[in-house]
Amino acid sequence: REAVARFLTRKFLSPVSMLSLSTDLREEIAGAGPRQKVINPQTVAFIGGTASVLSNIFFALCEVGDAVLIPVPYYNAFENDMKIVAGCVPFPVYMDDPTKGPSYDDLEFAVASAAKKGFRVKVLLLTNPNNPLGIIYPRKVMSESIKWARAKGLHTICDELYALSTHSKQHSFESVLKILDNNLDDDVHMIWALSKDFGASGFRTAFLCTQNADSFLEDSR
């Protein structure tokens, strides 16, 4: 877990930092100060594939029949991840312009529509970089979507499986770890895996980074 925490720190939280490869991660954590600039290994869990990560999160956070908001279009397999174990209902967030990501109004309309149909919304699922569109949500869209979810008492899951597959040096991708300055609190959960960026989908290894140990981190380890 220390190796994964270091990797996430260097590639997602502080991609331009010069953290010493020879320095023990425990020393970096001890010297990081109140706004921790490294990923604590205690906030990282290994799970057998992204589908298992999502199924565990939905099962831990939701009751059968709860809705999960997800901007459309989305990766179709997400529906299985929501339904098979946790019994959740995928609820689409329609957008005026899907290439720009969800707006406040888009999210408000979606949660109101879910309520009218009798669904209790518990989670917002964001995929950034997006699958299948291949676009990158700007920092403002991500931060405002999370702010909206928090105001509604929702959890936000950030699927960042394609984070290292952006090929332009001028790309605008920023991990939620960096956007929130590693302050995920207990309601934002980031996932990443080897399947896409390393082309290793057969090597069933995914990682959950969360600061909500009370809900499910211990069970996921």
Side-chain angles (χ1 to χ4, degrees):
R1 281 165 45 203
E2 286 196 5
V4 174
R6 179 182 291 276
F7 179 85
L8 293 177
T9 297
R10 293 179 64 83
K11 294 296 185 179
F12 291 78
L13 175 60
S14 303
V16 296
S17 70
M18 297 300 291
L19 293 176
S20 170
L21 287 173
S22 61
T23 302
D24 188 277
L25 187 61
R26 288 184 293 269
E27 295 178 7
E28 292 174 7
I29 292 173
R35 296 180 69 81
Q36 187 171 303
K37 296 299 183 182
V38 295
I39 304 299
N40 189 327
Q42 297 302 314
T43 66
V44 176
F46 293 72
I47 304 180
T50 305
S52 295
V53 175
L54 288 168
S55 293
N56 273 279
I57 295 175
F58 294 134
F59 184 75
L61 299 179
C62 303
E63 301 293 337
V64 173
D66 285 344
V68 177
L69 296 184
I70 178 170
V72 293
Y74 56 80
Y75 179 50
N76 190 56
F78 283 145
E79 295 192 0
N80 291 334
D81 303 334
M82 297 177 196
K83 294 177 179 179
I84 292 177
V85 175
C88 294
V89 178
F91 201 90
V93 178
Y94 295 105
M95 297 168 283
D96 289 335
D97 185 351
T99 65
K100 294 182 179 179
S103 68
Y104 176 89
D105 289 340
D106 296 331
L107 295 168
E108 281 289 319
F109 183 80
V111 77
S113 299
K116 287 181 180 179
K117 295 184 177 182
F119 294 117
R120 180 179 67 165
V121 177
K122 291 295 292 292
V123 175
L124 171 63
L125 174 59
L126 299 173
T127 307
N128 189 39
N130 182 268
N131 179 11
L133 295 180
I135 56 96
I136 296 172
Y137 291 154
R139 165 186 276 259
K140 183 178 180 180
V141 168
M142 291 296 295
S143 61
E144 290 189 352
S145 295
I146 293 169
K147 181 180 179 180
W148 175 88
R150 284 176 163 166
K152 298 290 184 181
L154 308 181
H155 286 257
T156 302
I157 301 171
C158 298
D159 177 330
E160 299 187 357
L161 262 66
Y162 290 90
L164 305 182
S165 295
T166 52
H167 303 295
S168 170
K169 292 183 179 180
Q170 303 302 318
H171 71 78
S172 60
F173 173 77
E174 289 183 283
S175 171
V176 69
L177 297 172
K178 183 177 180 181
I179 292 171
L180 297 183
D181 200 26
N182 199 25
N183 294 315
L184 303 183
D185 293 326
D186 63 355
D187 58 355
V188 177
H189 320 283
M190 175 269 202
I191 58 176
W192 181 78
L194 302 179
S195 55
K196 304 303 189 292
D197 288 333
F198 280 76
S201 58
F203 193 60
R204 306 303 298 164
T205 303
F207 310 102
L208 165 64
C209 187
T210 178
Q211 294 168 4
N212 187 338
D214 292 337
S215 287
F216 50 85
L217 187 56
E218 289 299 329
D219 292 336
S220 299
R221 283 173 181 158

